[in-house]
Structures are given as C-alpha cells and as structure tokens.
Amino acid sequence: MPEKPTEVVLEKAEPDAKPDAKPQAEPKARSVRVVLMALMITMLLAMLDNMIVGPAMPTIVGDLGGMEHLSWVVTAYTLATAASTPIWGKLGDMYGRKGSFLTAIVIFLVGSALSGMAQSMGQLIGFRGIQGLGAGGLMVGVMAIIGDLVPPRDRGKYMGMMTGVMAVAMIGGPLVGGSITDHFGWRWAFYINLPLGAVALAMVTSVLHLPKKKAQGRIDYLGAALLTVGISALVLVTTWGGSEYAWGSAVIMELIGIGVASLIGFLFVQKKAAEPILPLHIFHNLNFTLMAVIGFITGFVMFGAMLFLPLFQQSVQGASATNSGLLLLPMLLSMMAVSMVAGRVTTSTGKYRLFPIAGTVLMVTGFYLLAQMDTGTSRLTSGLYMAVLGAGMGFLMQITMLVAQNSVEMKDMGVASSSATLFRTLGSSFGVAIMGALFNNRVHDVMAERAGKLGGKVTETSAQLDAEHLKMLPAAIRDAYQHAVSAGTHSAFLLGAAISVVALVASFFVKEVPLRGSGPADKPAGDADKPAGDADKPAGNADGDSARAAGRTTVAEPV
C-alpha cells in the first residue's frame, strides 16, 4: 500500500463545520503562507551569511589580528555546514521535522551571537563552526518542511520564491555586508541574523504544527562519524588544494586517503544500520540518482561562474568592484524569471522532464558562449551570455530538488532533501577548486609568455589582483594581465561547458513519473497521482477524506 500522506494540522474545524467550507479553507491557506514566509526568511539567513561576512573580513583582521588564520573563518563554517547537512535530514525523519528545524535555527542564532562577541580569531573560528552546524539544518529543514506542506505538483509555484531568495542573497549580500561594516562595525555582520532569526523562530513555533514522530531505531552514530570525517576531508582537499598546499603534497594526499577510506567504510556501515544516516535504497530510484548527479554538476559550474564572472568584468572590462553583486544581475534575473515560469508550468501540467533537458542545453550553450569572451567583449555581450546561462540554471535549480523529493517515500523526505543539498554543496566545493586551479595555472602561464619574469613575479602570490593593484601596474603589464585573465576564464568556462555535457546526457534518462498532489484543480487528496515507488498501486482516498473531515490539511491538498 502507498504510504499515507503526512498530516499538517493547521486549523481545527468546528464539530458541525462542512469539510470544504470556505471560512475554514482560507485560514488554512493563510497559515501555510505564513509558514512559507518564515521558511523563506530562514533560507535567506542561510544563504546570506557568507555573502555578508565576506566584505567584513579585512576589518575583522584589523581588529582581531590572526591574518594567517583568516581562511578558517570561512572554512570552519563550510565544513560544519557540509558535514551536518545529512545528519539534520535524518534527525528530522526520525524525531520530527519541526523540532529539528527549530533546534537548527537556535544553534545558528547562538553561533551568530557568539561570533559577534568574539575577542580573538580563534574564538571567531570556533563560533563560526557552531554557526555552521545550525546552518546545515536550515536549508534541509526548509526544503523538507516544504516537502511536507506542499505536494510536488503544487510545489512548482514556490520555485520562483526560493530562486528569488537566492538572487537577493547573492546581489544584496556584499552590498549589505559592506554597508553594515562601514556604519555599524563588523560585529553587526553577525548580529543582523538575530532579529531575522527571531522572527522566523516565532512564526514557525506559533503556526507550524507537524505530527510528532517516534524513532524506530537508534541513531547511526558510527555512520554519522564516518560521513562527517569523509565530507570534512574532501572539503579540506578542495579548500586547501592549490592554495595552502600543493595538489601533490603529502597533506592533500593524506586527506584524500582519509576521505575515500571513510566514505567506503560509511557505505559498508549503511548496509547494516537499522536507521542509516543515508539509506542507500533511495539511490535505487533512477530519477533520484540522476538528480544527485545533475545537482552536483549544477553546483560545480554555477559557483565557478559566480567566482570568475565578476573577476573578468573587473579585471578585463574595468567594472567597479564596489557593487560586485550587481555584475551578476543579468544571470540572476534570468534565472529567477525562468524558475518562476517553470514552476507555474509544472503546477499546471504536472510535467517536468523537459526542464532538465532544456536547462542543461542552455547551461552548455551559456558556458560555451562565456568561453568566447576576450579583452574586446563588451559588457552588453557578456550580459547576454550570462542571461543564457542564468536561464539554464533557472530550469535546474529547484527542479532537481522537486524530482528528488518526488522520487522517495514520505518517511525519507528529510534524507532526500539533505542528500540533494549535500551533492550540490560538494559540487560547488569541487567546482571552485578545480576551475580555480585551471584558471590560476593559465593566468601564470600567459603572464610568463607575455611579460616574462616580471609577469611571473606579479602573479606569484595570487593570480587574482584587485582594482588597486591593477592601477599600480605599468600599462604593458596591465595589458598582459587582462589577456591572462581572459585566457584563464576561457579555460575555466570551457571546463564548465564540458562538465555540463555530462548533466545533459543524464537529463535524457530522467523518467516522467507523475508528481504527487492535486495541481491547479480542486480534487480530493485521494485522487492525487500515485507516489514514486508505488506507481503500480492505486492511491485510495480514505485518508484524504478523513483528514478533510477533521479540518486538517494533508500534503496532497492544494495550498
């Protein structure tokens, strides 16, 4: 029998109330929208943090010192977030979504407050780790709760909202971070999280009512430890490789060995665990596995583009670094618009297979076009190329999560959400590292070719120069550097196009499994499409009818 839909109690019906009475439906819809607003605020917190903290880094170093440990302010947060993501997803499945989500918010806010009060670089790094632990549960909690509240068929309507939050974070983060640091001090880059988090905490606590769960088994502590070690080692490899240590150094090789051994051990443990942190059976579903692959590649190429596009525009096209987030506006607006359209079409038709194909085609095309940019490319042309890439991202950003969630049973919603988030996070780490290494090597080579030994000395510490250093260079060296950056981005974007081809091939194997839920028409919960994994079994309507009679909203009922 197909699994019963999760019941979300939003409003109690009067004993004599009619099941479909309008006065009852409107409060329920409003309650769901209030919860979704709180989730969007929480998602903004998770995505905005590093964007805001980045501009404050120079001031932090000037106040606390410890320049040699500066990278750990970001690394500690990233490590904790990546390592805790799958654990938060499993905790939500075992003990209830609401409790784990509220706990993650509280931990994040405590870490934010402590980071703002840090008196040394060591303290700041430790507190950023605490903040990252909470952040790992924020994104997973948002996606999993939306998965509980809104059926996949109707979830497309909210794709644009989630993509819009991402665009706001990427564009507004550096601007807000710089303004806060200049006017209020760097500590407020962390304190700003507290009022936003308090609002989200209050809204979720008062409005969201999810059924409590009792764990069927014990937490897989060994699996959690092995996965944490494996993910941490891989993130450190991508963070340190080519910067702190050479790629072939003993430290990097040891980390690779530790990471691979831990993950192999983790796979063996998951086969025997009563409550595995990452149930391997979810990968038996082809669509879920394909979404993991496409999500990894999307993270790989997207964050590489986010890194190198502003660099190209600042170094080659002479754009100002002050409003660096605005340089990505063509890509982000295109991404948001396409995501909204794709979401609406998914809701109205229930079809989605075309979107991964269209998204990966546009992603390959966009990266190929960006790879053709040189020192003579205008800002208008590069903006058009970015819009093509953004359109591809818009088709992919939320559809990968939607299909992944639709491919598992409700009891695995948390681990499905955390797995999709984890693969995208790991993809971004590998993308920035590998594309960055390719870019740096190419810049060094071209500088040596065009400017000889002097060119090599200019970029021996870093292949990326800020605007102030560029102005100080002689005209000939500056011209050589612009050609070098152009060549470096050409290589990085060609790699992005090649990697995107893998996602394109994977997208053709996606199957059009009906989305659970009602779609635009008002039909009974029991008439929803059959859930993935139970496609050959009929979905009865007893659960939906009884829930509606009791004045409850199930995940199969339109919001």
Side-chain angles (χ1 to χ4, degrees), residues 327-360:
L327 301 175
L328 299 172
L329 205 56
M331 183 173 73
L332 296 175
L333 288 179
S334 173
M335 182 172 69
M336 185 166 59
V338 170
S339 180
M340 293 177 68
V341 172
R344 291 290 177 180
V345 172
T346 300
T347 297
S348 61
T349 66
K351 306 294 183 182
Y352 58 81
R353 184 175 180 269
L354 178 64
F355 296 143
I357 296 174
T360 49

Side-chain angles (χ1 to χ4, degrees), residues 171-249:
I171 295 172
L175 296 174
V176 173
S179 298
I180 289 175
T181 303
D182 291 341
H183 294 92
F184 302 102
W186 66 266
R187 297 183 186 277
W188 280 96
F190 299 104
Y191 291 151
I192 191 65
N193 293 328
L194 302 182
L196 288 174
V199 170
L201 199 61
M203 293 170 72
V204 171
T205 302
S206 60
V207 180
L208 179 64
H209 303 287
L210 293 171
K212 295 181 180 179
K213 298 181 181 180
K214 291 184 178 180
Q216 300 296 318
R218 298 178 59 188
I219 296 176
D220 178 17
Y221 292 106
L222 178 57
L226 288 171
L227 183 61
T228 299
V229 172
I231 291 174
S232 299
L234 292 181
V235 171
L236 286 175
V237 166
T238 58
T239 303
W240 286 348
S243 56
E244 298 288 328
Y245 303 95
W247 283 103
S249 66

Side-chain angles (χ1 to χ4, degrees), residues 49 53 56 60 63-64 73 108-120 123-128 130-131 184-194:
D49 190 77
V53 172
I60 292 174
D63 190 9
L64 299 181
V73 175
F108 180 82
L109 295 180
V110 169
S112 298
L114 292 174
S115 295
M117 294 185 288
Q119 300 300 312
S120 68
Q123 288 182 9
L124 180 59
I125 291 169
F127 296 150
R128 284 283 284 169
I130 295 174
Q131 195 183 18
F184 302 102
W186 66 266
R187 297 183 186 277
W188 280 96
F190 299 104
Y191 291 151
I192 191 65
N193 293 328
L194 302 182

Side-chain angles (χ1 to χ4, degrees), residues 240-242 245-254 256:
W240 286 348
Y245 303 95
W247 283 103
S249 66
V251 172
I252 298 299
M253 292 296 105
E254 289 170 4
I256 292 175

